[in-house]
Amino acid sequence: MRDVIIIGAGGGGPIVAKELAAQGLDVLMLEAGARNKTPETNWKHFENDANNPLSGYLRFGPSDRSKPSWYREVTQPAMISNLSGVGGTTQHYFGNSPRAMPGVFKGYQGDDAQDYDRDFEFPFSYEELTPYYEWVEATLPVQTAAMGTSEQVFFNGCENIGMSVQVTKDTFQDGYRAQQNAVLQPSGNAGRTTNKSDLTYPLAKGCTFCGHCTQGCYEPLNAPRNLKARRSTDNSYVPMALTADLWAVQGKAVTLVADAYVTQIHTQQINGKTTATGVSWRDVNTGEIMTENAKVVVMAGGCIENPRLWLNSGLPNSHDWVGRGLTDHAFDFVCGIFPFNTDSSKGVGSSARADFPGKGCIEPSSLGPAGLASNLMMSDSGIRGMYDNGRGVFGEWDGPSGRLIGNEFKNFMSDVNKTMGMLIITDDDVEANNRVEPSSLMSDEHGAVPKMTIHKRTRSQRTLDNREFLANKAASILRAAGASEVLRIDIVPLLLHLQSSMRMGDDPQNSVINANGEAHEVAGLFVADNSALSNALGGPNPTLTTQALATRTSEKIMVQYFSGTPWVNSNEPMSSIDDAITQAVLARGL
Amino acid sequence: MRKNSPPNDSQLNEDEAPLSTPRRDFLARSGLMGAVAAISPMLLASSKSEASLLLSDSVIRDVFNAMTLDTFAGVSAFVLPGNDWHSISQGHFNLKKGAKAANTQQFLLDNLDNYLPWPKDIAGPILSEVARVFSNAAKPIPFGLALVLKPLETLILNKLDEYMDRLIDGSQTVPLGHVFSLILNVTATLVNPLAIGGSHLAPFSRLSFSEKAEVFKRLETGEPDLSELISLNLNEAQSEMFPTLMATFSRTLIQLTAFGALSEWHALDQTTRELTVRPIGWDLTQYLPNGNVEGWDDFLGYYQDRSQVDA
Ligand SMILES: Cc1cc2nc3c(=O)[nH]c(=O)nc-3n(C[C@H](O)[C@H](O)[C@H](O)COP(=O)(O)OP(=O)(O)OC[C@H]3O[C@@H](n4cnc5c(N)ncnc54)[C@H](O)[C@@H]3O)c2cc1C
C-alpha cells in the first residue's frame, strides 16, 4: 500500500509528487500518456510533427503515434488543446506565470471588489497563498522575461495608448509589463546567435529564442534535463520528484508509471464516510488492468478527465457540481499585420502582457505559420465578406470579425514575421452549465468519454462584456504599435486554459473540494490541478496558481494524513536548477 | 460475399436488389457514380457480369479515395489557392503555389481517416440521416453518363452501398475523410445542381469560389429546414449533436487545411523525420528563411532594464 497515488503528471500532479516525496512519503504517480525521456532526439522544431492535434507527438492520445488520439465529445464547436504525457499540457505551454488577481480571493477589500465574480471566490485570502507563490516561483524558477523585437513592438503600442507599466508581481491596476515566465532567461550565447554550434550548453544557457515553445522545449542542446529553458513540469518538478532521495534529507524518489490510464477510483465506507482506498489503471499498451491501494489519492488529470473519472467511478455527487463551473477564459484572437518586422515567430511563446483587473488580460503570442493560420481559421463569425454566422462584430479592428480565406488569407500570411497575434484572456464567470460529464453516446477502453459543454455566445453578460473590452483594447494596442491592418477572429472556444471544473469552495452546494483541497464527499481524495481552482483567477494564466495551490494542498495532506508539519513558511525552497538537482539528474541518468 | 469467379444469376440478382431510395439518391448525388466510371473506364463497355467483377473491393475503395482526394483538393484550393487547376477552375487563384501543391488533400485524407476516431455508433446514424436529408431533392446524374451507365446503375450503387456499410460497421471507428467528402459533395450539388457533372471528379471541386463558401455556410450555420428534418429521425442526443457535428466538421476541415498547408508536412520524410525539400508553406510565409535553427539573435535586453521585480 502506497502513501499517496497521484493521477496525472501534468501541470499540477508533479508538484504534489515532488513536495510529498521530499517529505519522505511513498508516492506513485500515474500518467496516461508517454514519458518523453529523450526529447532532444525525439522532438523536432516542426509544427505538424509536434502539434497536429490528431497525430502529433504532443497530443491527447496514447504514446503510440500510429493509434488515434483519445476522443472527447463537444456539444458546441471548440478546439481542445491539452496534452497527455509526463508534463501534461505544460509540455507545450509558454511558461507565463503571473499571479492571480487578488480580487478573486475571499476578504478582498479593494475598491474594485464588485468587478469580480464574487459568488465563486477562493475560500481563503490572497495573502494566505502568497508564500506558496513565492515557493513555486523559486522552485521552477520564474524569472522576468527578456525582450525581443515582438515585445518591443507590443510595449510601444502600450506606451502609445498611455498605459502604465506594472513593476510588481501583484496586480492591482491596469498595466503592461514583461511576463514573469517559467523560462530560464538567456545567458552566454543564447539569444545572441543563430549559429548552432555556439548554442549548445554550457556555451548557451537558458532560452535561445528559438520560437518553438509549442513544439516542446529541449534547448539549449546538451543541457541536463533540469536545465532546459522552459520549466514545463517534465523539466522542473518531475526530475526533482524522481530524485528526491538524492537531494532532500529524508526524501524518497517517486515511482512514475507512464502509459497508465486510471479508470477507477476505489472507495470504502470507513467510519461512516466514503473514503478513497486506491485506483485501478489500464496499461495503454498491453490492456492489462492494475490496481494499487493508498492512504491518499490525488486527482490531477486536468479539468476534463477528472470529472470523467469521478463520475465513471460512481463517486458521490449529491449536489451535482462535479464537472460544473468550468471556466475557459473565453479566449479570442486579434491579429495585426505590420509594415515592418515584428519577428513574431521568434522567442518565447509570450514574453509580454497587459492586465486589466476585473476584465482579464492580453498577451502577444509568437507562433509559426501553421499555428497562426490555425488560430486565424477558428472563427465563430464565418468567412469575412461571405457569411457571418450571425456574428460579424465591428469594433477597433478592420471590418467585421471573421476568418480570412483564399487570396486574402494568403496575402495576410505572406510574411509571418510581420504579424502579431494577441490572445484575449477573459476574466470569465463560473457558470454551472459550462461543464464536463460522461458522454451518453460514446465510450472507449477507458469508459464513457468526457462530454464538454462550453457555451460561447451565451456566457454571462460580464464575461461577454469583458471579452469585447479586451478585444477592442488589443486592437488599439496593435494599431498604436503601427499595425496597418487589424483583424478580430472571434474564435470558438479555444481550450488552452481550463479551470474550476472540480472547484474549491466552502459550500458543498456549489463546490467539490474544501479549502484544504479534499473532496467534500470522499475522505482521502484530493484534487490538485487546474480543476481545483475556485474560479478563472480574474484572467491570469492559471498554472502558477495551480502549482501554488497544489503546494498548499501537499502541506494539508501531510498534516492531516501523515502527522507532518507545514514547511513552506519555515524552510527555504530548493530551486529545480540548483546544482544539487543537476547532479541528482545526471546521477540518475534522467 | 464476393468471389473472383464469374457471378451466377442469383448473385447478380443480389447485386441488383433495389436500394432504399434515400441511400441510393445520396450515393448517386455524391458524384460517386461518375467517379466509378472515371476510375474504371472499362466499365462503360462491360456487361453486367463483367462489371460485377471489375468492381472489386479494391476498385470501390480506390473510387472513394480518389473522390475524397479530389474533394479535398477543392477544399485546399478554396482555403489557400495557388496556380493549380483546382484554383483556376474555381475562378480564384494566384501565381504562386498553394495548398494543393503542398499535397494538403493527402494530408487531410491521412489525418481524418487514420487519426480522428469517430465511433461508429455515432457516425452510423448520423451518416444515414445525412443521406436521408440531403437526398430529398433527387437529381439525375449527367445525361451522357446516365445513358451509358444506366444498365449498370443498380449494380454500381449496390457496390457503393456495400462499401458504405462496411465503412460504418466494419471497424470501431469510421474513416472520416470519406464521410467528410460525401457530405461536402452532396451539399455541393444542393448549392449548384450542375455540379453533378463537370471537369473534376468531385462535385465540390466543380463549384466556384463563392459557391464553395456557400457550402461551408450551410454546414456551419445549419439550415433551419435541415435541423427540423434531422430532429424527426435522430434520437434526442443525436439530434442535439448533429448541428454541432456539422459546424465542427466544416471548421475543422478549414482549420486543418490551413494548418497542414503551411506546415512542413508534405516536405517531411515521415521515417527519418527530416526535410526532403523546403516546405511550400515556409516559402509562402517567409518563415525560417535559412531552414530550422536552434535559436535566434533577437535578445534586446530587458524592458526599462528591469530584469527582476518584487512582489
Ligand atoms: C499552447 C498552450 C500554451 C499554454 N501556455 C500557458 C502559459 O503560458 N501559462 C499558463 O499558466 N498556462 C498555460 N497553458 C495552460 C497550461 O498548460 C495548463 O494550465 C496546465 O497544464 C494545467 O495543468 P493540469 O495538471 O490541470 O492539466 P494537464 O497539464 O493537462 O495535465 C493532466 C495530465 O493528467 C493526465 N491524465 C488525465 N487523466 C488521466 C487518467 N485518468 N489517468 C492517468 N493520467 C491522466 C493527462 O494525460 C495529463 O498529462 C497553456 C496551454 C496551451 C495548450
Side-chain angles (χ1 to χ4, degrees):
Chain A
M1 165 141 146
R2 303 274 180 176
D3 290 329
V4 178
I5 294 177
I6 298 169
I7 305 163
I15 283 53
V16 182
K18 172 253 167 186
E19 292 300 339
L20 295 181
Q23 299 298 313
L25 295 192
D26 178 10
V27 178
L28 169 67
M29 182 157 62
L30 300 166
E31 167 53 46
R35 178 167 171 209
N36 293 302
K37 280 191 189 164
T38 50
E40 208 160 310
T41 44
N42 291 344
W43 292 357
K44 303 261 180 188
H45 292 326
F46 293 127
E47 289 187 277
N48 177 68
D49 191 32
N51 302 126
N52 185 313
L54 307 176
S55 57
Y57 60 74
L58 297 179
R59 60 170 182 163
F60 191 72
S63 49
D64 179 350
R65 287 180 71 186
S66 68
K67 301 219 172 103
S69 50
W70 289 316
Y71 195 74
R72 275 88 178 261
E73 183 188 337
V74 284
T75 62
Q76 303 198 337
M79 167 88 183
I80 307 173
S81 181
N82 63 8
L83 306 181
S84 56
V86 174
T89 312
T90 70
Q91 289 172 106
H92 74 178
Y93 90 147
F94 295 170
N96 306 148
S97 301
R99 296 178 178 183
M101 302 282 184
V104 302
F105 289 79
K106 189 173 182 169
Y108 179 70
Q109 300 292 338
D111 292 344
D112 60 347
Q114 289 317 313
D115 292 348
Y116 302 91
D117 185 3
R118 285 262 75 86
D119 291 341
F120 295 98
E121 57 192 16
F122 274 82
F124 52 81
S125 70
Y126 183 70
E127 291 68 32
E128 187 176 333
L129 197 60
T130 302
Y132 299 96
Y133 275 133
E134 289 166 353
W135 180 273
V136 177
E137 285 163 350
T139 306
L140 282 166
V142 173
Q143 299 175 346
T144 302
M147 180 172 61
T149 308
S150 64
E151 287 73 37
Q152 200 169 48
V153 172
F154 175 79
F155 293 142
N156 280 344
C158 294
E159 285 167 7
N160 291 345
I161 65 164
M163 287 188 69
S164 41
V165 193
Q166 179 177 333
V167 295
T168 55
K169 291 177 185 158
D170 297 330
T171 302
F172 289 101
Q173 59 185 38
D174 294 3
Y176 69 96
R177 56 180 161 145
Q179 294 268 16
Q180 288 297 109
N181 273 347
V183 174
L184 302 180
Q185 294 309 304
S187 71
N189 293 334
R192 292 165 176 91
T193 179
T194 56
N195 192 347
K196 184 173 176 179
S197 58
D198 293 332
L199 284 172
T200 50
Y201 180 89
L203 292 175
K205 290 183 179 170
C207 177
T208 61
F209 277 67
C210 76
H212 292 289
C213 294
T214 350
Q215 284 84 55
C217 182
Y218 53 86
E219 301 288 351
L221 299 177
N222 292 345
R225 186 74 189 249
N226 68 312
L227 297 181
K228 297 296 185 191
R230 209 264 319 277
R231 314 307 294 155
S232 39
T233 56
D234 53 327
N235 292 335
S236 54
Y237 274 84
V238 172
M240 290 184 89
L242 295 174
T243 57
D245 54 323
L246 300 181
W247 57 266
V249 180
Q250 76 272 37
K252 186 169 175 32
V254 164
T255 308
L256 170 64
V257 183
D259 301 312
Y261 212 120
V262 177
T263 51
Q264 183 77 35
I265 294 175
H266 301 289
T267 57
Q268 278 176 14
Q269 292 300 316
I270 298 176
N271 298 332
K273 186 134 206 230
T274 307
T275 305
T277 54
V279 306
S280 289
W281 71 91
R282 178 178 172 275
D283 182 316
V284 171
N285 297 319
T286 64
E288 208 179 340
I289 304 291
M290 323 281 277
T291 299
E292 278 221 37
N293 292 332
K295 206 163 172 189
V296 165
V297 174
V298 178
M299 300 182 84
C303 279
I304 306 176
E305 294 297 317
N306 280 349
R308 172 203 196 185
L309 176 59
W310 180 293
L311 295 168
N312 281 350
S313 297
L315 302 184
N317 184 20
S318 314
H319 301 290
D320 190 19
W321 200 259
V322 170
R324 290 191 184 270
L326 179 69
T327 54
D328 70 335
H329 281 160
F331 270 65
D332 202 350
F333 196 64
V334 177
C335 192
I337 195 155
F338 289 74
F340 50 83
N341 259 2
T342 58
D343 279 346
S344 70
S345 71
K346 303 173 183 172
V348 175
S350 178
S351 284
R353 65 186 297 113
D355 295 283
F356 304 88
K359 299 210 158 40
C361 321
I362 294 171
E363 62 179 41
S365 61
S366 300
L367 292 166
L372 176 61
S374 177
N375 281 2
L376 291 175
M377 288 300 161
M378 285 181 56
S379 182
D380 187 34
S381 293
I383 298 176
R384 262 164 49 115
M386 304 192 104
Y387 62 92
D388 65 10
N389 208 6
R391 294 271 305 165
V393 191
F394 288 86
E396 293 293 320
W397 46 92
D398 293 302
S401 58
R403 71 173 78 89
L404 300 180
I405 210 95
N407 287 333
E408 215 187 349
F409 168 57
K410 197 170 188 179
N411 291 339
F412 193 88
M413 292 298 300
S414 64
D415 189 343
V416 69
N417 282 315
K418 288 190 172 141
T419 64
M420 181 178 288
M422 300 262 248
L423 278 177
I424 304 305
I425 314 178
T426 309
D427 176 11
D428 60 327
D429 284 335
V430 171
E431 292 172 76
N433 59 359
N434 249 19
R435 65 183 297 201
V436 181
E437 61 194 310
S439 169
S440 57
L441 291 172
M442 296 185 219
S443 55
D444 61 16
E445 49 284 74
H446 308 121
V449 305
K451 170 179 162 183
M452 302 185 66
T453 304
I454 315 274
H455 293 279
K456 173 189 176 272
R457 298 188 183 192
T458 54
R459 297 297 304 268
S460 72
Q461 197 55 49
R462 193 183 82 92
T463 304
L464 297 175
D465 290 348
N466 283 352
R467 190 171 185 264
E468 292 309 299
F469 169 87
L470 294 166
N472 279 290
K473 204 49 121 177
S476 306
I477 294 172
L478 284 169
R479 228 182 265 296
S484 51
E485 191 182 356
V486 177
L487 298 180
R488 177 176 179 193
I489 307 306
D490 183 30
I491 56 175
V492 297
L494 170 60
L495 308 177
L496 305 183
H497 293 176
L498 289 171
Q499 300 84 210
S500 58
S501 64
M502 309 281 289
R503 65 179 300 274
M504 173 181 279
D506 285 330
D507 184 355
Q509 307 256 14
N510 65 12
S511 61
V512 180
I513 57 174
N514 65 25
N516 287 347
E518 187 172 15
H520 292 300
E521 297 198 76
V522 184
L525 183 59
F526 288 77
V527 181
D529 56 14
N530 280 21
S531 68
L533 298 170
S534 298
N535 52 44
L537 309 179
N541 320 49
T543 314
L544 178 77
T545 303
T546 289
Q547 296 174 334
L549 191 60
T551 308
R552 182 178 174 276
T553 301
S554 306
E555 278 193 346
K556 303 289 181 194
I557 292 172
M558 197 65 202
V559 171
Q560 207 175 317
Y561 284 89
F562 300 96
S563 312
T565 48
W567 54 91
V568 165
N569 279 316
S570 51
N571 289 4
E572 282 298 309
M574 167 79 84
S575 165
S576 62
I577 60 170
D578 191 285
D579 197 48
I581 307 298
T582 307
Q583 294 313 321
V585 163
L586 293 174
R588 193 133 289 159
L590 298 179
Chain B
M1 193 175 33
R2 307 280 165 247
K3 306 186 192 78
N4 272 344
S5 52
N8 58 33
D9 283 347
S10 71
Q11 278 171 321
L12 270 185
N13 287 343
E14 194 186 306
D15 283 336
E16 294 194 355
L19 285 170
S20 68
T21 310
R23 175 71 79 82
R24 171 205 169 93
D25 285 348
F26 176 68
L27 288 168
R29 200 175 182 87
S30 70
L32 280 163
M33 287 281 286
V36 168
I39 299 285
S40 193
M42 278 164 14
L43 208 62
L44 302 179
S46 306
S47 68
K48 276 184 198 168
S49 54
E50 287 165 344
S52 185
L53 273 184
L54 275 175
L55 291 174
S56 64
D57 278 4
S58 72
V59 167
I60 295 288
R61 195 182 53 242
D62 288 350
V63 167
F64 269 84
N65 274 338
M67 175 63 107
T68 305
L69 278 176
D70 195 65
T71 312
F72 288 165
V75 174
S76 301
F78 176 63
V79 173
L80 190 78
N83 51 11
D84 52 273
W85 177 230
H86 279 80
S87 301
I88 294 166
S89 67
Q90 70 182 357
H92 190 94
F93 57 95
N94 54 71
L95 297 180
K96 290 188 174 167
K97 289 179 178 172
K100 195 185 161 201
N103 207 7
T104 310
Q105 53 280 18
Q106 188 70 48
F107 168 81
L108 293 170
L109 180 68
D110 285 2
N111 275 284
L112 294 172
D113 273 8
N114 298 329
Y115 292 107
L116 189 60
W118 224 35
K120 67 179 179 192
D121 35 340
I122 295 301
I126 298 272
L127 196 52
S128 310
E129 197 53 18
V130 170
R132 192 186 67 74
V133 171
F134 281 120
S135 60
N136 264 350
K139 55 346 27 287
I141 51 174
F143 182 69
L145 196 60
L147 220 55
V148 187
L149 288 181
K150 193 72 198 158
L152 302 175
E153 187 179 321
T154 307
L155 171 73
I156 296 173
L157 287 176
N158 281 353
K159 292 276 188 186
L160 294 171
D161 187 56
E162 281 169 23
Y163 183 78
M164 257 185 67
D165 273 348
R166 279 200 296 278
L167 280 189
I168 295 170
D169 297 333
S171 64
Q172 283 308 306
T173 56
V174 171
L176 265 193
H178 293 168
V179 178
F180 276 29
S181 130
L182 284 171
I183 293 171
L184 281 176
N185 285 319
V186 174
T187 314
T189 63
L190 293 177
V191 167
N192 180 357
L194 295 178
I196 198 77
S199 67
H200 298 289
L201 209 53
F204 179 83
S205 294
R206 297 176 186 136
L207 299 181
S208 69
F209 184 71
S210 56
E211 287 169 341
K212 287 180 178 177
E214 178 65 22
V215 168
F216 281 106
K217 178 185 171 190
R218 290 194 187 193
L219 293 172
E220 198 169 337
T221 56
E223 299 281 280
D225 54 341
L226 181 74
S227 51
E228 268 170 37
L229 280 166
I230 299 292
S231 57
L232 288 178
N233 275 328
L234 295 175
N235 69 33
E236 201 185 330
Q238 287 166 344
S239 64
E240 215 177 74
M241 213 181 158
F242 185 82
T244 302
L245 271 178
M246 290 299 108
T248 303
F249 145 73
S250 49
R251 286 189 183 118
T252 303
L253 196 58
I254 289 179
Q255 193 184 352
L256 257 189
T257 305
F259 178 86
L262 293 179
S263 80
E264 79 294 345
W265 180 80
H266 78 96
L268 194 75
D269 179 322
Q270 299 297 333
T271 320
T272 62
R273 288 166 70 219
E274 297 293 340
L275 292 179
T276 51
V277 289
R278 181 167 163 79
I280 288 171
W282 292 15
D283 270 343
L284 292 176
T285 59
Q286 303 187 53
Y287 181 56
L288 299 174
N290 302 314
N292 240 325
V293 293
E294 300 300 338
W296 287 104
D297 48 354
D298 193 36
F299 172 60
L300 303 178
Y302 290 85
Y303 184 57
Q304 298 180 339
D305 290 330
R306 199 177 302 106
S307 60
Q308 66 181 58
V309 294
D310 300 326

